[in-house]
Amino acid sequence: VIPGWFSEISPMWPGEAHSLKVEKILFQGKSDYQNVMVFQSATYGKVLVLDGVIQLTERDECAYQEMITHLPLCSIPNPKKVLVIGGGDGGVLREVARHSSVEQIDICEIDKMVVDVSKQYFPDVAVGYEDPRVTLHVGDGVAFLKAVTEGTYDAIIVDSSDPIGPAQELFEKPFFHSVSKALRPGGVVCTQAESIWLHMHIIEDIVANCRQIFKGSVNYAWTTVPTYPSGVIGFMLCSTEGPSVDFKHPINPIDDDADKTQKPLKFYNSEIHSAAFCLPSFAKKVIDSK
Ligand SMILES: NCCCCCc1nc2ccccc2[nH]1
């Protein structure tokens, strides 16, 4: 360990580790589910770390939060009821709130400490909780979805950490099945779907499961997030049988929809929406063949 530096060492990305220069450790705790740490970095603002894995930094969180939210919500007309699984930092809530058609935002986060730490150290991210449409459920997303009435939601966003730890079940087939049942016909789901450089096997399994369960569209998109391993992270976009969804061409462009009281978008726009679905050949070969 180099003094003054945090290195993201994990068996999920063997032989490599992204490092950030640490100015000051601001919080360290252990919840019922994971170790939670916040530190002030030298160049990426404050950083949230769960079990040694970087979850967000103030400097680049906009890329991930905006893409995971607007890729699904800009692909359907008038989303009204939205569910967020995970995402305890509140950043996805902040982005969902930009859509004036949305009437109800439910969030189910398993770890209360993540919510409390985000509100204390990342106010510009946790601002999402202030929207009156938001209801927070602290609990396991798997159990929450089992209790949801069929066809309730227009969109579900699964903002999970990685498959090692509390989020493991959110990458498995039964969970995708319960997501499908909770969505209306032509409803959409967007999940955190790892890195094409590091996790092609995980992605292969997710795509195969999604194609079996979601009878609408199934697409993989990706974006750049400098502080995630390999500097990229992907998203699984799926729709249920019903009114067709073309994820690659946004029909509900947020560019002008943005609510004036909120800060402008830093990353997402309709061009980068379409570009996100362009894949390198090694990934296309696996994803399009499943
Ligand atoms: N190794 C890539 C990890 C991606 C993590 C995405 C993410 N960031 C989060 C912050 C708080 C709660 C859930 C979260 N999920």
Side-chain angles (χ1 to χ4, degrees):
V1 177
I2 311 163
W5 286 78
F6 167 81
S7 294
E8 191 187 39
I9 295 164
S10 167
M12 291 186 284
W13 31 91
E16 60 184 278
H18 188 247
S19 302
L20 289 172
K21 193 162 176 23
V22 178
E23 276 189 355
K24 186 169 188 283
I25 294 182
L26 301 173
F27 175 88
Q28 281 189 303
K30 186 166 179 48
S31 75
D32 296 339
Y33 300 94
Q34 55 208 333
N35 288 301
V36 180
M37 175 172 65
V38 179
F39 67 84
Q40 182 69 47
S41 71
T43 51
Y44 274 81
K46 290 194 279 291
V47 182
L48 173 65
V49 178
L50 299 178
D51 281 345
V53 175
I54 293 170
Q55 300 298 315
L56 72 86
T57 83
E58 287 182 310
R59 179 168 162 187
D60 65 2
E61 56 92 8
C62 62
Y64 175 79
Q65 318 277 14
E66 292 182 24
M67 292 298 274
I68 200 171
T69 304
H70 304 309
L71 285 176
L73 293 192
C74 292
S75 296
I76 55 173
N78 294 317
K80 291 185 173 57
K81 292 186 182 179
V82 180
L83 169 62
V84 180
I85 302 288
D89 55 308
V92 169
L93 302 175
R94 177 193 70 203
E95 295 306 317
V96 173
R98 293 176 191 272
H99 292 263
S100 45
S101 65
V102 171
E103 297 162 355
Q104 174 185 332
I105 309 171
D106 292 318
I107 175 169
C108 184
E109 163 60 55
I110 200 164
D111 193 342
K112 184 75 167 51
M113 186 179 279
V114 171
V115 177
D116 297 340
V117 163
S118 297
K119 288 180 176 177
Q120 179 166 4
Y121 295 99
F122 299 90
D124 292 345
V125 179
V127 64
Y129 284 104
E130 292 167 20
D131 192 291
R133 296 167 285 181
V134 171
T135 306
L136 168 63
H137 307 263
V138 177
D140 183 345
V142 173
F144 182 88
L145 270 172
K146 280 182 184 149
V148 165
T149 307
E150 277 196 32
T152 297
Y153 294 102
D154 299 294
I156 297 176
I157 295 165
V158 185
D159 175 11
S160 70
S161 43
D162 299 304
I164 293 188
Q168 183 163 347
E169 285 183 282
L170 305 183
F171 289 81
E172 293 166 0
K173 200 169 178 179
F175 176 72
F176 289 124
H177 190 68
S178 63
V179 166
S180 173
K181 290 174 80 68
L183 284 171
R184 65 154 170 84
V188 296
V189 58
C190 181
T191 78
Q192 190 267 93
E194 300 298 353
S195 162
I196 56 174
W197 284 112
L198 303 171
H199 307 119
M200 267 328 296
H201 292 308
I202 295 177
I203 294 167
E204 192 171 1
D205 291 347
I206 292 173
V207 172
N209 285 337
C210 285
R211 289 216 197 285
Q212 284 175 23
I213 291 169
F214 294 96
K215 294 304 177 192
S217 316
V218 173
N219 294 100
Y220 186 90
W222 62 311
T223 197
T224 158
V225 182
T227 57
Y228 284 162
S230 79
V232 300
I233 195 156
F235 310 98
M236 209 65 234
L237 279 295
C238 310
S239 63
T240 54
E241 191 161 21
S244 67
V245 176
D246 173 5
F247 287 113
K248 300 185 182 181
H249 302 97
I251 51 139
N252 177 23
I254 191 172
D255 301 339
D256 47 26
D257 188 17
D259 175 340
K260 302 295 170 268
T261 62
Q262 286 153 315
K263 292 182 181 170
L265 291 164
K266 291 180 185 164
F267 191 91
Y268 178 90
N269 59 57
S270 41
E271 292 83 11
I272 210 156
H273 177 126
S274 300
F277 293 88
C278 299
L279 297 172
S281 300
F282 73 84
K284 221 171 139 59
K285 189 156 61 88
V286 168
I287 290 164
D288 289 352
S289 69
K290 283 297 128 200

